[in-house]
Amino acid sequence: MTNIPETGRTPRVQLRLVVIQVLAFSLLLTLGGRLWYLQIRESDAYAEEASGNHVQRVVQPAVRGSILDARGVPLADNETRLVVSASRTELLTMEDDGKEVLTRLAGVLGMRPEDVMDKVRLCDAETPQPCWNGSPYQPILITDEATAQQALQIRERAEDFPGIVTEPAAVRRYPGPGGAETAQVLGYLSPVTDDEVRRAQDTDSPYLRSDQVGRSGLERQYDKELRGKAGVTRYEVDNLGRVLGQGENDPAEPGSHLVTSIDSRVQRVAEYELNEAMKDARKEWDRNTNEYYKADSGAVVVMEAKTGRVVAMASNPAYDPNAWVGGISAKDYEKLTGEASNNPLLNRAIQGQSAPGSIFKVIPTTAAVNAGYSFDGPYDCSSSYSIGGRAFGNFEARAYGPISLGRALEVSCDTVFYRLAHEEWLKDGGTTPKKDANDWFYTTAHQFGLGKPTGIDLPNEVGGRVPDRQWKQEYWEANKDAWCAQGKKNGSYTERIAYENCLEGNKLRAGDSVNYSIGQGDTLVTPIQMASIYAAISNGGTLYTPTVGKAVVSADGRNVREIEPESHGRLPMTKKTRDEIDEALAGVATRGTADWRFAGWPQDEIPMHAKTSTAEVYGKQTTSWFATYTEEYTIVMTISQGGTGSGASAPAVRKIYNALYGISEDGTIDRRKALLPTPQKGLPKITPHG
């Protein structure tokens, strides 16, 4: 037998083994490097991330603070209700996006399926209300009025209602004490949006996705104080979601309470009398338009004359703020925002702008005296005054002959102010003003605080308009192109006006100045502005920034931050001029345009000062204004398309004063019936229990 010698592995096999060894070594080296990177270099970051993955946060919403009137009566508070919510993210994991579940839920709650589905759809530019404008990851409120039987049915059949939660929760409530809705002053709440959450992340008051935030009124202005701080409980869980233990716990901090200067009793009277005045105005015949007055909107402000604090503020049309609680329905939303609604969400006391008419005349009176004219005059109160062939008439073509500025206020003589304004316009250079033009009438209006917001502690206040030379120029530059495109020299009235404005709409004409002198033309004011001015005349000349908030009080009542009245200047008049105007305004109530409305008023005990106004508005019926003050209070009321000041607004204003002071129609004072003969001084006591 022949032995064959062993020759060993072939070169090809040896090469393959070397390659495999190199690959294996490379893989081991890569794996080792990766393990070093994860376990050593990035160990802290991944440890923190791993820990976070095993911590679940449960949010406990903070109880929102109450809004109280000056006596401690709740205007906005909370009540416990059974709340049914839906998780949109869980519903979207279902094949039909949760439609079957929501339809089943609607049946239990006695709601229409389409209404329930509308509540969980997200708001965007193309989606009308009702819809969800909060975070899509936050539970969406379906109803806060579930009965115990409905809640039990949902809980017992949990398998039929995945993504649906029912539990007791604190829900905002607007009790409307005595029928005082105070809607536009209080405002309303709605869920926080993702954008708001992002923007507030780095602030000292971040939002949680479960938060409700104020959208208007005091709820918005004092949202940070009222909202409090939600509690967060952290649970350690395993990968299967089983709770292993409890981690850090941040307890919820309830929101602070806001004490206001509003007196709910006076608020109720103000709302009622404004509404009644509007209804009465609609029964009166307008001889100018040959129809009944429309009296489509109005506002009234009751203010402490010596502090600027608001005792009552009403705007009409009004609404029930509880409509927003739990998510607003499509029907209610249409009522509040539809074309036929006339904007009840608008607070006309601070956002309604219109020409003031004759209540404005205290400003040109002051301007005339500051320009060097004598208060005593005499000035000719003729039935009309002509400029360039155009006659500017006095109200109802009345003439009173030579009178003082004080008497001009009492009888509301327009032609006296026409003459003064025209003379000053000529002195300033007319349509080609001097470089050093005084513009007394316009400058004085700015000094009275017009043309800018008063600074009241309510959001979205507007500033009105003083149509001076600067405004004319800016307005012309903004509208010149449109006027030139529309204007025709021999066209319709509006086309001719556009043609004239195109050529010289930036010039302050004589007609502009005389119209302005009686609060007409392009002049715009708000009721709160005029209330501030008349309050300043009452208190001797100090302009206070109006306030509704009086104090912020912690939930336990221990910490109190009072909101003190602040002055932002004085009226541009001497004490002598102030006293002369004060006497003239008292004369309005006793022997002037409002004397027939104050027959029997106890003038010796409670001196009344007033000014009536019937402001003309192009294309509409006249606006009724009535501005008044006593030593303690200022009340200003306006009714759009309501007629005259003494005819429409004055009776309602007197009735508010009657309620404040306890005065009967014959002028008898009964202090026992007086709601608030002097302003509320102190603060209500708040304990941890309310």
Side-chain angles (χ1 to χ4, degrees), residues 274-306:
L274 173 61
N275 190 58
E276 290 298 301
M278 292 171 62
K279 290 195 295 186
D280 289 342
R282 296 183 194 116
K283 300 174 185 176
E284 297 297 322
W285 188 255
D286 182 1
R287 292 175 297 174
N288 295 319
T289 60
N290 291 319
E291 60 181 335
Y292 290 104
Y293 284 106
K294 295 181 176 64
D296 53 357
S297 61
V300 61
V301 176
V302 182
M303 178 185 289
E304 294 179 8
K306 295 179 181 178

Side-chain angles (χ1 to χ4, degrees), residues 85-108:
S85 304
S87 169
R88 189 173 186 276
T89 53
E90 191 167 345
L91 292 174
L92 291 179
T93 63
M94 305 173 192
E95 291 185 1
D96 62 350
D97 294 335
K99 291 182 180 178
E100 182 179 347
V101 172
L102 294 176
T103 301
R104 195 179 299 124
L105 178 64
V108 172

Side-chain angles (χ1 to χ4, degrees), residues 432-645:
T432 55
K434 303 174 182 177
K435 287 186 178 181
D436 58 347
N438 289 311
D439 283 334
W440 281 107
F441 281 40
Y442 299 97
T443 300
T444 304
H446 287 294
Q447 293 171 333
F448 268 72
L450 296 184
K452 61 182 180 182
T454 65
I456 188 172
D457 53 344
L458 289 172
N460 301 321
E461 181 192 6
V462 298
R465 177 197 298 156
V466 176
D468 52 17
R469 297 182 193 275
Q470 180 180 348
W471 176 83
K472 287 283 288 186
Q473 180 66 30
E474 293 172 353
Y475 190 67
W476 179 72
E477 291 172 357
N479 293 278
K480 177 179 59 176
D481 293 342
W483 283 331
C484 293
Q486 179 189 0
K488 292 181 181 180
K489 186 175 183 179
N490 298 314
S492 65
Y493 174 76
T494 55
E495 289 172 335
R496 294 198 305 273
I497 293 296
Y499 177 78
E500 293 176 6
N501 286 335
C502 170
L503 297 179
E504 52 182 18
N506 59 332
K507 293 184 178 181
L508 188 67
R509 303 184 182 96
D512 295 327
S513 287
V514 298
N515 268 329
Y516 165 79
S517 71
I518 61 167
Q520 294 284 176
D522 293 312
T523 310
L524 293 177
V525 301
T526 64
I528 193 65
Q529 288 176 321
M530 299 312 297
S532 297
I533 287 171
Y534 276 80
I537 298 173
S538 172
N539 67 40
T542 301
L543 285 163
Y544 283 102
T545 300
T547 53
V548 181
K550 196 172 182 180
V552 176
V553 183
S554 62
D556 58 11
R558 295 178 181 175
N559 299 318
V560 178
R561 176 175 66 85
E562 292 196 40
I563 302 169
E564 298 290 347
E566 292 186 3
S567 166
H568 60 266
R570 291 189 58 81
L571 295 179
M573 60 174 67
T574 64
K575 182 180 184 302
K576 180 176 183 293
T577 301
R578 179 266 165 196
D579 291 345
E580 289 170 331
I581 291 176
D582 179 75
E583 182 180 353
L585 295 177
V588 173
T590 57
R591 57 182 178 269
T593 55
D595 64 343
W596 64 297
R597 288 303 189 188
F598 283 96
W601 180 265
Q603 190 72 10
D604 292 339
E605 297 182 63
I606 306 174
M608 175 61 64
H609 306 74
K611 188 71 194 81
T612 59
S613 175
T614 306
E616 297 178 358
V617 182
Y618 177 73
K620 290 186 175 183
Q621 296 169 309
T622 54
T623 300
S624 169
W625 282 92
F626 196 53
T628 62
Y629 64 83
T630 60
E631 182 181 352
E632 294 82 16
Y633 298 107
T634 294
I635 302 180
V636 173
M637 180 179 286
T638 183
I639 300 176
S640 171
Q641 303 196 92
T644 65

